[in-house]
Amino acid sequence: MTDEYTIRCALIGSPLSHSLSPKIHTHFAEQFGMNFEYSLLDTPTELVEDTIRRFFAEGGRGLNITMPHKDFAYNFCKQHSIVSKTTRTVNTIWLNNDNNICGDNTDATGFIRDLVHNHNFDLKGKRVLVIGAGGVAKAIIPTLFVSGTDFLYIYNRSRYRAEKLVERYGNKRAALWDPETNHETFDLIINASSASLYGELPPVHANILAENAHCVDLVYSMESTIFCDWAQENGAARTWDGLGMLIEQAADAFEIWFKRRPETRDLYKQRYALLSSD
Ligand code: NDP
């Protein structure tokens, strides 16, 4: 039951029917006994600005922004976190004390928290390959550098997008990975592309896996993804999907809105319930 005291948060994007955010944020709010509601606002691009402004005018506390509006919503924020400025995207917005709309992108921090804290992966000195050059790749790459990566390779289906990303960091920090001509092995391979959603594998071969290779697919699903299957079958030491990142980026957003850090461990244990559609 909601009433005038209900704290309201919501997600803006389209389509949203499969979003796990209501379940995740409701779980967090229950930890603090909050009278809380999290809604899905399926919104076409032309209504994003109106929807954001109306939400806050009506007393809403915090918004998440998802595909395809992460870039567009950036324009309506008056203040941006460093990650948000770097990526020119937002996935979390709120009002500050001066009623200015502020934006952050917690995808990057959520990814690193899952990698470093939940999976104990130390990035120092590790050889890293990032597959994909879309929004999420752009968000996580700067955070990989900040967290200990000195140099990484980037591959993307459309080569020019990977080239643009490599240019952004310069050849001392990044290089294009060409599956035909490069023969490096990697300690960490991050599939930040949507390929697994379509049951497709990037052009990866067993010989790119270092002895103790870790492979992460940012796509998540009830079943293991095709990329995680490939990694396991070819001897990767550990593989995992993007559910942990999703949970941690939500926890980061919750902490921004409410200055309280929710416990996330329980949600990992409820993976099946979280991913089932009921
Ligand atoms: P974008 O649409 O911005 O980029 C999509 C990327 O995937 C591009 O690099 C694109 O390559 C590539 N791609 C798409 N289809 C294929 C394919 N069939 N084969 C190979 N590459 C392909 O999406 P995002 O970067 O925002 O997200 C990428 C994926 O990451 C999403 O599918 C989403 O599931 C996941 N994600 C997970 C999150 C989490 O919390 N776990 C958070 C955000 C995203 P090209 O340039 O050639 O089109």
Side-chain angles (χ1 to χ4, degrees):
M1 264 282 281
T2 61
D3 56 33
E4 62 191 297
Y5 301 109
T6 302
I7 298 166
R8 291 187 303 108
C9 291
L11 175 66
I12 292 181
S14 190
L16 292 178
S17 53
H18 297 299
S19 172
L20 302 182
S21 294
K23 280 186 188 171
I24 295 174
H25 281 285
T26 302
H27 179 90
F28 293 160
E30 280 168 1
Q31 293 176 23
F32 301 104
M34 290 161 68
N35 175 355
F36 181 82
E37 180 187 55
Y38 190 99
S39 330
L40 296 178
L41 305 176
D42 198 316
T43 310
T45 306
E46 62 275 17
L47 293 182
V48 168
E49 180 171 8
D50 274 2
T51 307
I52 292 173
R53 297 201 189 284
R54 190 160 7 98
F55 177 81
F56 288 121
E58 291 172 354
R61 179 67 82 87
L63 280 173
N64 286 131
I65 308 290
T66 190
M67 303 239 285
H69 305 316
K70 287 181 185 178
D71 303 36
F72 190 55
Y74 177 89
N75 302 313
F76 308 124
C77 298
K78 221 167 172 184
Q79 289 180 21
H80 301 91
S81 69
I82 292 172
V83 179
S84 169
K85 265 190 203 150
T86 313
T87 58
R88 300 189 68 78
T89 57
V90 290
N91 78 341
T92 301
I93 61 182
W94 69 98
L95 282 188
N96 69 8
N97 292 338
D98 300 323
N99 278 340
N100 289 325
I101 300 177
C102 305
D104 199 347
N105 186 333
T106 63
D107 283 338
T109 50
F111 169 75
I112 291 293
R113 194 181 285 273
D114 189 45
L115 177 72
V116 174
H117 295 277
N118 298 341
H119 293 95
N120 297 316
F121 191 88
D122 181 1
L123 283 160
K124 282 249 170 308
K126 299 298 193 313
R127 290 157 295 174
V128 178
L129 170 64
V130 176
I131 298 169
V136 75
K138 285 183 193 143
I140 65 171
I141 288 172
T143 319
L144 284 166
F145 288 133
V146 170
S147 307
T149 300
D150 296 318
F151 186 90
L152 50 75
Y153 280 85
I154 302 172
Y155 167 81
N156 191 49
R157 177 180 63 178
S158 310
R159 188 182 165 105
Y160 73 96
R161 290 182 83 189
E163 282 170 348
K164 281 186 87 173
L165 255 186
V166 168
E167 267 171 34
R168 190 182 284 193
Y169 298 106
N171 58 12
K172 287 211 171 91
R173 305 213 83 181
L176 205 63
W177 182 68
D178 182 336
E180 302 301 325
T181 57
N182 289 115
H183 303 291
E184 284 77 8
T185 59
F186 297 102
D187 304 301
L188 176 65
I189 303 177
I190 304 162
N191 185 5
S193 80
S194 309
S196 293
L197 286 181
Y198 308 104
E200 288 174 20
L201 258 188
V204 284
H205 302 286
N207 59 7
I208 67 169
L209 294 169
E211 198 175 328
N212 191 31
H214 287 46
C215 295
V216 192
D217 195 344
L218 301 191
V219 168
Y220 50 84
S221 60
M222 185 79 89
E223 309 295 332
S224 174
T225 70
I226 183 171
F227 179 75
C228 287
D229 286 347
W230 167 83
Q232 268 161 25
E233 283 159 17
N234 288 283
R238 291 188 71 186
T239 70
W240 65 92
D241 71 8
L243 186 65
M245 169 180 171
L246 181 80
I247 292 170
E248 296 300 343
Q249 65 75 29
D252 285 348
F254 190 94
E255 191 174 7
I256 287 170
W257 297 329
F258 302 116
K259 312 281 178 266
R260 291 163 147 184
R261 178 95 203 157
E263 171 59 49
T264 54
R265 245 172 257 265
D266 265 8
L267 273 177
Y268 290 99
K269 293 183 200 142
Q270 295 172 29
R271 182 186 172 93
Y272 183 82
L274 197 57
L275 288 168
S276 67
S277 51
D278 51 304

